[in-house]
Amino acid sequence: MLTRAWETVQFIYTVARLANRRRRQPEQLFAYQRGQLRKLLRFALENSPFYRRRFRHIDPDSCPLERLPITNKQEIMEHFDEVVTDRRIRLADVEAFASDPANLGRLFLDRYVICHTSGSQGRPIFIVQEQKDIQLAFALQLARGHPLEKRWKTLFRRFGRPARWASFYVKPGFYPSSVVFTYMPRAVHRFAQTLRLSLQDSLEKNVQQLNEFQPNFLTGYASVLEALAREQLAGRLRLRESGQLQMLTNMSEPLTPQARELIEGAFGVHVSDHYAMGECMTLTVGCPYHQGAHVNVDLAILEVVDDRYRPVPPGTKGSRVLVTCLHNYVMPFIRYEIGDVITMNPQRCPCGSNLPHVAAIEGRTKDRFWIRRNDHYEEFSPFIFLEVMYRCFDVAEFQFIQTDWTRFDLRIAPVPGRQLNVAEIQRRLQAALCEAQLHPLIQVNIIPVDEIRPDPVSGKMKRMQTLLAPPPGVASASP
Ligand SMILES: [Zn+2]
C-alpha cells in the first residue's frame, strides 16, 4: 500500500517537473540539454566498451555534438554486448527472454524492460531500458501532451475521477506499442482508466467496445483512426455524440493532411501526432492544439540531416534524423540514425510552446492493402504479417509484395551467418492468418533471397508493397 502511494507521489513529481521545465526559456532548455549530454557521454565512456572505443579521442566535457560519431541499428546490433552498460546483459539472453511470451510483463535480470523493433532497415533491434524510462513516456503525455497541459494542476483533480483512455496495439508481444502498456506504471491508473484494443480483433468488435467505453482519449495508428472515422461517419461508431471524446492521438504511422481532415471532421476533435520510436520513446509529444509534435529537448536530441549527414535548416525537409536519447543509461543511443523524413518549423508552434516544433513527419509511407472476400473488397492490415516477421529474429530483411487480391510474395533474407527456417515462418504466418480468420483468403509464397535492396529511387526499404490499384469504388484518403 505504502509502495503504491510512494509510486504515485514519484509519478506526480515527475509530471510536475516535466511540466515546469517545459516553461523555461529556449536558451535555458538547451543549456540543460548540453548538461544532460555531457553526463550521458561520461557515463557511456566509462561503462560501454563500444562507446569507449568510438569516443577514445573525444573529451566528453567539451566535444560538440556534431563531432561525435554517428551510429545505426546494424552497428548497435553487431556490438550489442559492448553497447550496453551492464556487463550482465547479453544479446543471446535478451533474445531468448523475448522469445518466450510468458516473460511479457516480467523484468529481464529483475530490472530491465526489453522490447524489439524493426524500424525502416536491417534486422530487428533489441532495446533495453528501465521502468523509469517507460514512466517518463507516460508522465510526458500528462505534462505536455494533454489539452490541459497549461493547467496541469487540474489534472490532479482527476484523482478518483480518472479519464478513460483507449489505445490500440498490434497484439501482446515485445514491441514498443505493447511493452509501453504492459509495463505502464501503476500510478497512471490513478489518472486514467484504460481500454486496450487489439488490431487482431475485427473492426466490428473494436467499434462495439469503443461505443461501450466512450473514451476521453483514443490512441491508434493513422490507418486505424481513418477506419474508425469512416465507422463514425457511417453511424456505427458513436463517440462524437456523447461529447466525451477530447483528443485522438496518432502514433507510428504518417498522418496525411487528407487523413487528418477526414478524422477531425468525423470526430470534431484534434488529432495529435506523436512521433517517437522504441529507441527513444520520449523524443516528442504531439502538440495538443496544432499539427506536428514538440521535441522534448530535455530528454532527447533530434538532428535533422541530409544524405551526407549535414544539418538541414528548419523549414527544409531532411532525409534522415539522428536521435540521442538522454535518459537511457543502460543502452545508450547517441547520434543514432533513423531514416525518417522530418521538417522542423522555423517558427515557434502557434500554441506558444518553447519546445522546437516538428512541422511535418513523413517517411514510413505505406501502401494500403485490399483483399477480396466473396464479391466485395476489404482493407487488410499488414500488422498481421509484420507481427509475425518481427518475431523471426533470424530474418535480416523481408518484403511482402501483393501480387493479386489473394496472393502475397514474401521475400526474406537471413541475418548473416544464420539459417532461415522457411517451413517455420510459413507455419507462423498460417497460424496468424487462421487466428484472424483470413486463412482461406490469403496465400503467402515465401522466396528466400540473399539480400533485399532498398528502392533505388527513394532509398527506402518498403516492407509492404502492392502491385495492385485500389479496388473499384474505393476513395483513398491516403496517397
Ligand atoms: Zn504546439
Side-chain angles (χ1 to χ4, degrees):
M1 195 62 197
L2 255 179
T3 336
R4 265 198 112 128
W6 176 238
E7 278 174 16
T8 307
V9 170
Q10 272 187 322
F11 185 71
I12 292 173
Y13 176 67
T14 307
V15 174
R17 227 167 23 137
L18 291 169
N20 280 331
R21 210 187 284 141
R22 184 188 66 85
R23 290 195 196 86
R24 292 191 196 168
Q25 289 306 306
E27 57 276 15
Q28 290 177 306
L29 280 166
F30 284 108
Y32 180 84
Q33 182 187 63
R34 282 192 296 276
Q36 293 299 97
L37 175 67
R38 301 281 167 235
K39 249 171 79 183
L40 175 69
L41 290 178
R42 284 194 293 267
F43 188 86
L45 261 166
E46 257 173 49
N47 298 287
S48 158
F50 171 78
Y51 284 111
R52 193 179 308 134
R53 202 163 51 236
R54 292 168 69 84
F55 293 171
R56 62 186 179 280
H57 301 305
I58 280 164
D59 176 3
D61 294 317
S62 64
C63 179
L65 177 71
E66 312 77 64
R67 298 275 300 282
L68 295 172
I70 289 163
T71 189
N72 58 34
K73 180 156 67 178
Q74 284 81 344
E75 226 173 46
I76 295 270
M77 281 305 285
E78 220 166 283
H79 303 280
F80 186 94
D81 293 356
E82 292 182 316
V83 171
V84 289
T85 58
D86 181 338
R87 299 274 60 80
R88 296 174 303 161
I89 302 172
R90 305 251 161 224
L91 178 60
D93 300 336
V94 169
E95 266 196 45
F97 182 86
S99 301
D100 182 357
N103 284 329
L104 194 62
R106 295 188 186 143
L107 296 174
F108 177 70
L109 298 177
D110 292 327
R111 178 163 178 190
Y112 299 116
V113 176
I114 301 292
C115 68
H116 62 79
T117 172
S118 94
S120 54
Q121 37 192 286
R123 64 198 276 197
I125 182 165
F126 284 87
I127 299 150
V128 187
Q129 51 196 326
E130 291 182 77
Q131 273 186 305
K132 69 166 176 53
D133 300 303
I134 307 281
Q135 190 190 61
L136 265 178
F138 281 96
L140 270 174
Q141 279 306 319
L142 280 170
R144 300 179 185 176
H146 198 281
L148 297 177
E149 61 169 332
K150 286 182 178 162
R151 295 170 288 123
W152 60 267
K153 283 183 187 112
T154 58
L155 282 176
F156 299 130
R157 293 197 202 123
R158 287 211 176 277
F159 247 42
R161 193 169 61 83
R164 288 184 304 281
W165 180 18
S167 66
F168 278 86
Y169 69 112
V170 180
K171 77 182 262 193
F174 286 93
Y175 334 100
S177 66
S178 167
V179 158
V180 79
F181 283 96
T182 307
Y183 296 85
M184 179 163 75
R186 285 187 294 182
V188 174
H189 293 291
R190 302 257 188 180
F191 299 94
Q193 183 192 345
T194 55
L195 170 71
R196 299 184 66 195
L197 299 156
S198 168
L199 288 176
Q200 298 277 311
D201 288 335
S202 67
L203 185 61
E204 200 186 345
K205 182 173 174 196
N206 285 329
V207 164
Q208 190 195 336
Q209 291 193 76
L210 284 168
N211 279 337
E212 281 164 21
F213 188 67
Q214 290 293 320
N216 305 116
F217 302 97
L218 171 59
T219 301
Y221 308 89
S223 54
V224 176
L225 298 180
E226 253 188 86
L228 293 176
R230 285 192 290 269
E231 291 299 296
Q232 173 76 34
L233 290 172
R236 289 183 289 270
L237 180 61
R238 291 178 300 280
L239 298 188
R240 188 175 187 161
E241 290 76 355
S242 65
Q244 296 287 318
L245 189 64
Q246 293 176 32
M247 194 173 74
L248 301 166
T249 302
N250 165 50
M251 57 176 188
S252 304
E253 284 180 3
L255 181 70
T256 62
Q258 297 92 324
R260 176 185 286 280
E261 206 181 305
L262 172 78
I263 300 165
E264 291 187 343
F267 292 109
V269 297
H270 175 66
V271 183
S272 143
D273 204 3
H274 190 65
Y275 169 60
M277 57 284 301
E279 294 91 332
C280 187
M281 292 184 184
T282 54
L283 182 61
T284 79
V285 166
C287 177
Y289 303 97
H290 297 280
Q291 287 189 22
H294 296 166
V295 182
N296 297 308
V297 294
D298 47 344
L299 302 171
I301 304 175
L302 174 66
E303 298 171 79
V304 182
V305 295
D306 66 13
D307 274 332
R308 294 164 67 189
Y309 303 102
R310 293 171 305 197
V312 302
T316 309
K317 193 193 276 191
S319 67
R320 61 197 70 198
V321 296
L322 305 174
V323 173
T324 301
C325 180
L326 294 171
H327 55 85
N328 181 352
Y329 275 50
V330 62
M331 183 168 182
F333 288 96
I334 301 169
R335 302 199 86 203
Y336 173 78
E337 177 185 346
I338 294 175
D340 289 343
V341 176
I342 293 294
T343 310
M344 296 302 295
N345 187 347
Q347 269 106 40
R348 258 193 192 194
C349 177
C351 77
S353 168
N354 285 333
L355 299 170
H357 183 219
V358 180
I361 306 155
E362 288 174 47
R364 307 178 183 182
T365 44
K366 60 181 181 68
D367 286 353
R368 296 176 71 184
F369 300 89
W370 302 85
I371 52 171
R372 194 164 54 203
R373 191 191 288 270
N374 303 326
D375 55 351
H376 70 278
Y377 297 91
E378 61 182 42
E379 190 159 8
F380 165 72
S381 166
F383 283 109
I384 291 174
F385 286 159
L386 300 181
E387 190 273 320
V388 172
M389 297 315 295
Y390 291 167
R391 278 185 293 125
C392 296
F393 302 136
D394 295 332
V395 172
E397 200 47 86
F398 64 87
Q399 193 170 43
F400 283 92
I401 302 173
Q402 187 175 14
T403 55
D404 189 355
W405 297 118
T406 56
R407 280 173 186 278
F408 285 81
D409 279 350
L410 165 61
R411 303 170 68 219
I412 42 174
V415 170
R418 295 205 186 179
Q419 283 288 322
L420 287 180
N421 186 340
V422 173
E424 174 61 16
I425 296 173
Q426 186 71 264
R427 194 195 60 73
R428 287 190 193 185
L429 284 168
Q430 197 58 26
L433 289 171
C434 276
E435 200 180 324
Q437 296 181 350
L438 290 167
H439 55 293
L441 304 180
I442 295 177
Q443 284 175 19
V444 182
N445 173 33
I446 298 183
I447 308 167
V449 294
D450 292 336
E451 192 187 8
I452 300 174
R453 291 190 165 277
D455 183 278
V457 179
S458 67
K460 293 216 170 247
M461 175 64 71
K462 253 189 166 175
R463 286 257 160 76
M464 296 288 308
Q465 203 179 338
T466 180
L467 304 180
L468 310 177
V474 170
S476 173
S478 298

